[in-house]
Amino acid sequence: MDAGSLYREQQELAKKAILIDSFGQVKRIGGADCSYLDDELVIGGLVVLDYEGLKPVYRTFSVQRLAFPYVPGLLAYREAGALMEAVQEAKVGFDVLMVDGFGANHPRRCGIATHIGVKLDVPAIGVGKSFLCGEIKGEYVYQDGERVAKMLYPKGLKRPIYVSPGHRISLETAAGIVLVSIKKGRLPEPLRLAHEYVTQLKKIIVHPFKE
DNA sequence: GCGACAG
DNA sequence: ATCTTGTCGC
């Protein structure tokens, strides 16, 4: 599987991405993040929280064999599998999913949030922790003259987080949801808790097998 | 050719 | 992502 065919798949997925709100009242929101056990195993974790109160109500995970290296622009082919499996195994649903990474703000408009959102047909928001691509103008990132991400400065920090729509949601709605979800730290609760979750899982899984 | 490059 | 102590700031 060469990069060319993967690029083409991303362009196809990007065409299917709906960047306007198409979901009802948000009752529960999910957060997905990954952690690496070693050079060949990834843990994809999902945390579902009650949107009001932002308290976790469910967690689940999936461990998969890494079948692809980290290549900028192709992150989904390394982490999306484990994250999607965790989402599909979940016994508690959510109305919107927040993913660690980008959505429409991507070289081919198909970041991991778009990839997962379109493939599972779930509303998805991408939240990146560092710049990927595009032109920064004010509080927005543009690509080909189109707004693809909004920068937010949690706690007035210098380093912004980049919010971009993945699927079935608009940029402004996505940014609004991320903004109200920030309570502690730099990341919104769904992602902060998902990251904390997979980090803890890694510890209790690696310990018994090491030393 | 050179620089940039999510997690 | 991951390896890690002390350290700066609210």
Side-chain angles (χ1 to χ4, degrees), chain A residues 102-133:
Chain A
F102 290 78
N105 180 13
H106 174 277
R108 290 164 295 287
R109 304 299 179 75
C110 187
I112 191 169
T114 304
H115 187 106
I116 293 175
V118 173
K119 285 200 167 183
L120 299 184
D121 193 33
V122 297
I125 299 172
V127 180
K129 299 184 294 297
S130 61
F131 182 78
L132 174 57
C133 65

Side-chain angles (χ1 to χ4, degrees), chain A residues 3 6-7 10 68-78 106 108 132:
Chain A
L6 297 182
Y7 277 21
Q10 293 189 314
F68 203 81
Y70 167 65
V71 179
L74 296 178
L75 177 66
Y77 294 97
R78 183 174 173 75
H106 174 277
R108 290 164 295 287
L132 174 57

